[in-house]
Amino acid sequence: MQSNVTEIASDIYRISTFHPDYGIQFNQFLIKDAQPFLMHTGFKKMFSTTREAVASIIDPTKLRWIGFSHFEPDECGALNEWLGIAPQAQALGSFVGAMVMLNDFADRAPRVLKDGEVLSIGQHRLRFLSTPQVPHGWDAGLYFDETTRTLLCSDLFFQPGDPEPLTESDITGRAKEAIVGGLTGPMAKDMPYTPYTDSTLRRLAALAPTTLATMHGSSFHGDGQKAILDLATILKELLSKSDG
Ligand SMILES: [Fe+2]
Ligand SMILES: [Fe+2]
């Protein structure tokens, strides 16, 4: 397996690895700055591939922060491998993420971020947003880079296959197709529609991102606010009704 590296916003590098067994991309995002930040570690079994890609951008032993949305192996499976090679590296997480998972799982104590807290890593300012159950997981959170207006949006806007790194065309239509297709497949019900889903998406839209850094599929450059509001409408239509 090999990763493709693309700069999708100033000093934000998308590291994309297509996994043929899953038929989807697993994308990490490295922000190159005084305190380098990696969004998602990728699978433990893909660590050497991801490390090689990171090494094409920075010295991987200098990694400082490891962020991810929720506790799943594609998000943080290689966390301890990264903590092992980068002595200053530390995982970031929500209070729930630390209390329920990371305090036990991580080989080094994590740093807990409060909802809305801003982490300055040099030129880039990352705002942490606690987003329980969006896209899924009690511990879920997302990061918004205020410097480039990039939302690191994890599994939101999921698209299967091995599409282009960055698109300016209709990402919401592609995401809808994937959600509709997923409803009848073996991986259905990945995203719960809760009393907080719509308000969480509206809060993300209000950030007015210009880049959406998607974990599976193409990233998007354009009107992120509209894309998120459209996604909120689609999720309400497709997921909010009980199937009895
Ligand atoms: Fe996930
Ligand atoms: Fe994911």
Side-chain angles (χ1 to χ4, degrees), residues 74-75 155 215-216:
D74 61 340
E75 295 263 354
D155 298 337
M215 186 180 194
H216 311 282

Side-chain angles (χ1 to χ4, degrees), residues 14-242:
R14 173 186 186 267
I15 297 167
S16 181
T17 312
F18 177 73
H19 198 308
D21 294 354
Y22 294 86
I24 62 174
Q25 295 169 337
F26 293 91
N27 304 324
Q28 294 86 43
F29 296 91
L30 178 72
I31 305 182
K32 185 180 172 183
D33 210 327
Q35 299 178 19
F37 172 98
L38 182 67
M39 179 69 175
H40 325 132
T41 68
F43 287 120
K44 183 176 177 167
K45 287 182 178 168
M46 284 167 58
F47 174 63
S48 60
T49 306
T50 312
R51 184 190 52 198
E52 210 173 290
V54 169
S56 71
I57 308 160
I58 61 162
D59 175 353
T61 66
K62 297 286 193 291
L63 188 66
R64 178 65 182 89
W65 300 112
I66 298 166
F68 57 92
S69 169
H70 48 278
F71 193 79
E72 280 181 347
D74 61 340
E75 295 263 354
C76 64
L79 175 62
N80 288 326
E81 280 67 22
W82 281 107
L83 297 180
I85 65 157
Q88 303 301 317
Q90 202 176 3
L92 299 163
S94 64
F95 175 82
V96 170
M99 185 65 95
V100 180
M101 291 94 166
L102 290 177
N103 286 346
D104 182 66
F105 177 78
D107 286 345
R108 193 173 303 134
R111 173 169 162 182
V112 174
L113 293 175
K114 292 195 204 76
D115 182 35
E117 187 171 344
V118 172
L119 179 75
S120 182
I121 61 168
Q123 299 295 314
H124 293 259
R125 285 167 49 85
L126 292 169
R127 183 174 295 277
F128 176 70
L129 301 131
S130 175
T131 61
Q133 313 296 357
V134 177
H136 44 221
W138 179 24
D139 56 321
L142 299 172
Y143 291 83
F144 179 60
D145 176 37
E146 296 183 339
T147 311
T148 61
R149 309 204 68 76
T150 298
L151 181 66
L152 300 159
C153 60
S154 180
D155 298 337
L156 294 176
F157 296 97
F158 171 93
Q159 309 139 59
D162 193 16
E164 72 274 39
L166 185 66
T167 182
E168 295 189 353
S169 67
D170 178 28
I171 195 182
T172 317
R174 289 191 202 176
K176 180 179 182 180
E177 210 175 295
I179 294 164
V180 171
L183 287 174
T184 51
M187 305 287 277
K189 302 185 178 170
D190 60 312
M191 186 162 168
Y193 197 91
T194 76
Y196 332 108
T197 303
D198 195 62
S199 58
T200 301
L201 290 168
R202 283 174 193 286
R203 183 180 177 217
L204 297 174
L207 298 167
T210 53
T211 302
L212 300 172
T214 311
M215 186 180 194
H216 311 282
S218 299
S219 291
F220 170 75
H221 184 72
D223 187 344
Q225 182 167 55
K226 181 177 184 311
I228 297 168
L229 291 175
D230 287 350
L231 182 68
T233 302
I234 290 163
L235 293 181
K236 187 177 272 184
E237 276 171 18
L238 293 175
L239 305 182
S240 68
K241 296 172 195 78
S242 165

